[in-house]
Amino acid sequence: MQQVSGVDLWQWYRGAIEQAQQLGINPQEVDWLLKTISQVDQLSLRLGDLPSTIQLDRPWPEIAALWQQRCQTRQPIQYLAGRTAWRQFELQVSPAVLIPRPETELIIDIVLERLWPGAESGHWVDLGTGSGAIAIGLASSLPQAQLHGVDYSAAALAVARQNADRCGLPHINFYRGCWWEPIAHLRGQLSGMVSNPPYIPSDQIAQLQPEVANWEPHLALDGGADGLAAIRILVTQAPQFLRAGGLWLVEMMAGQGAAVVKLLEQQGDYDSIEIIHDWAGLDRFAIARCRTPLDS
């Protein structure tokens, strides 16, 4: 275990906050970094009331160098630290995967709010699993369910498997391949499908913040010309895999709600179609159920 004096940490902290403000970086990232690699609490940081010695999980010069790299390259601090918090978990992250966002946590809550008898012990799939965050959240909340995660990227799947093991959920099944292809054996068996697919229109990616455009994997961002290429695949092929009444739940970009609803309606195999807003009041999730034979 490494350590640094409270005086040195406080002086560095104030300087890092000022540097973040000058560069247009959220100053809360400095707090996040220190909370991630030390035992100091946020109130003590804000008040400057620090103990004489603070324990760290890595050498202090390395931590200071991480922050300078963050400022100079605009690489996300989560990638530099190698981990991030998501729900009750601490997940490993790398540039091979998207950094799990707080709003994506709502997917787990939405599923739990809309469970029906038998679904809690059925098969569930997270398509485009990335870091494995959604699959891990569902496996933890639905301990009797059988969870499956699919991703095209072998590097992303390596991160997902490590996270599942670290979170005590090694029974999640991970597959490499394109969307539904690796899980053909689950046709007609899924209680639910969830996904945070690529949904940014191709020509908008370069306009994103440099932390996203220059560092996060474009494979997980680029949704094609209108941002809906992956979502179309999920809409059209899911009825082959979902049980009658099975849940279809996808995260999307704000402003895509009407287009996704139209895709679901035109496909003809869904009912109970609904748009759910995030904490900011933006349309963020589309949910539907696969029609039962009596509905058709």
Side-chain angles (χ1 to χ4, degrees), residues 86-89 105-112 115 120 123-127 132-148 169 171-172 192-195 247 249:
W86 195 80
R87 290 183 75 85
Q88 72 268 36
F89 308 105
E105 297 182 13
L106 289 172
I107 285 181
I108 311 302
D109 300 321
I110 294 168
V111 168
L112 295 178
L115 277 180
E120 71 280 357
H123 291 277
W124 289 77
V125 67
D126 172 21
L127 293 175
I134 296 174
I136 288 167
L138 285 176
S140 175
S141 300
L142 303 174
Q144 296 179 310
Q146 299 180 64
L147 263 297
H148 310 270
L169 298 164
H171 56 283
I172 300 174
M193 177 227 79
V194 296
S195 182
L247 194 69
L249 174 57

Side-chain angles (χ1 to χ4, degrees), residues 3-287:
Q3 61 184 30
V4 66
S5 76
V7 172
D8 287 344
L9 180 64
W10 171 249
Q11 291 176 343
W12 178 89
Y13 174 74
R14 298 309 306 166
I17 291 290
E18 182 177 348
Q19 187 177 22
Q21 292 171 335
Q22 291 174 348
L23 294 173
I25 296 172
N26 188 340
Q28 291 182 354
E29 288 193 17
V30 185
D31 297 71
W32 181 90
L33 176 61
L34 292 182
K35 286 188 295 182
T36 300
I37 49 79
S38 76
Q39 303 299 316
V40 66
D41 65 85
Q42 188 170 3
L43 182 59
S44 296
L45 274 174
R46 294 294 172 84
L47 297 177
D49 183 20
L50 300 175
S52 59
T53 302
I54 296 168
Q55 300 299 316
L56 307 169
D57 72 355
R58 63 181 74 184
W60 174 244
E62 181 180 328
I63 295 166
L66 279 181
W67 178 251
Q68 290 308 310
Q69 188 175 351
R70 166 74 180 103
C71 294
Q72 292 167 11
T73 69
R74 302 304 289 259
Q75 185 172 1
I77 192 67
Q78 295 91 337
Y79 288 157
L80 292 169
R83 57 187 187 263
T84 192
W86 195 80
R87 290 183 75 85
Q88 72 268 36
F89 308 105
E90 183 178 82
L91 301 178
Q92 293 182 339
V93 292
S94 79
V97 301
L98 288 181
I99 299 166
R101 266 59 173 186
E103 58 265 26
T104 304
E105 297 182 13
L106 289 172
I107 285 181
I108 311 302
D109 300 321
I110 294 168
V111 168
L112 295 178
E113 289 170 0
R114 287 161 171 78
L115 277 180
W116 66 100
E120 71 280 357
S121 59
H123 291 277
W124 289 77
V125 67
D126 172 21
L127 293 175
T129 193
S131 66
I134 296 174
I136 288 167
L138 285 176
S140 175
S141 300
L142 303 174
Q144 296 179 310
Q146 299 180 64
L147 263 297
H148 310 270
V150 175
D151 205 286
Y152 189 76
S153 166
L157 286 174
V159 174
R161 290 189 177 102
Q162 291 173 4
N163 281 328
D165 288 342
R166 284 167 54 90
C167 295
L169 298 164
H171 56 283
I172 300 174
N173 302 296
F174 289 106
Y175 312 83
R176 181 171 183 258
C178 186
W179 301 117
W180 304 98
E181 291 174 1
I183 56 169
H185 60 289
L186 293 175
R187 288 178 183 270
Q189 299 182 50
L190 296 180
S191 294
M193 177 227 79
V194 296
S195 182
N196 180 15
Y199 52 65
I200 307 296
S202 301
D203 62 1
Q204 293 185 24
I205 291 178
Q207 304 168 27
L208 300 173
Q209 292 178 320
E211 287 83 352
V212 178
N214 298 338
W215 290 101
E216 298 206 59
H218 285 203
L219 180 66
L221 294 171
D222 193 339
D226 62 357
L228 300 173
I231 293 177
R232 285 191 182 89
I233 295 172
L234 301 180
V235 168
T236 57
Q237 297 184 23
Q240 302 172 42
F241 291 84
L242 290 171
R243 296 166 47 192
L247 194 69
W248 186 96
L249 174 57
V250 163
E251 181 171 336
M252 61 190 173
M253 187 172 73
Q256 291 178 335
V260 175
V261 167
K262 185 176 181 180
L263 288 174
L264 289 163
E265 290 175 342
Q266 290 179 337
Q267 204 283 335
D269 286 317
Y270 301 96
D271 58 21
S272 302
I273 300 169
E274 181 183 357
I275 297 299
I276 298 176
H277 298 91
D278 61 18
W279 294 305
L282 303 173
D283 50 347
R284 181 64 60 186
F285 308 98
I287 187 170

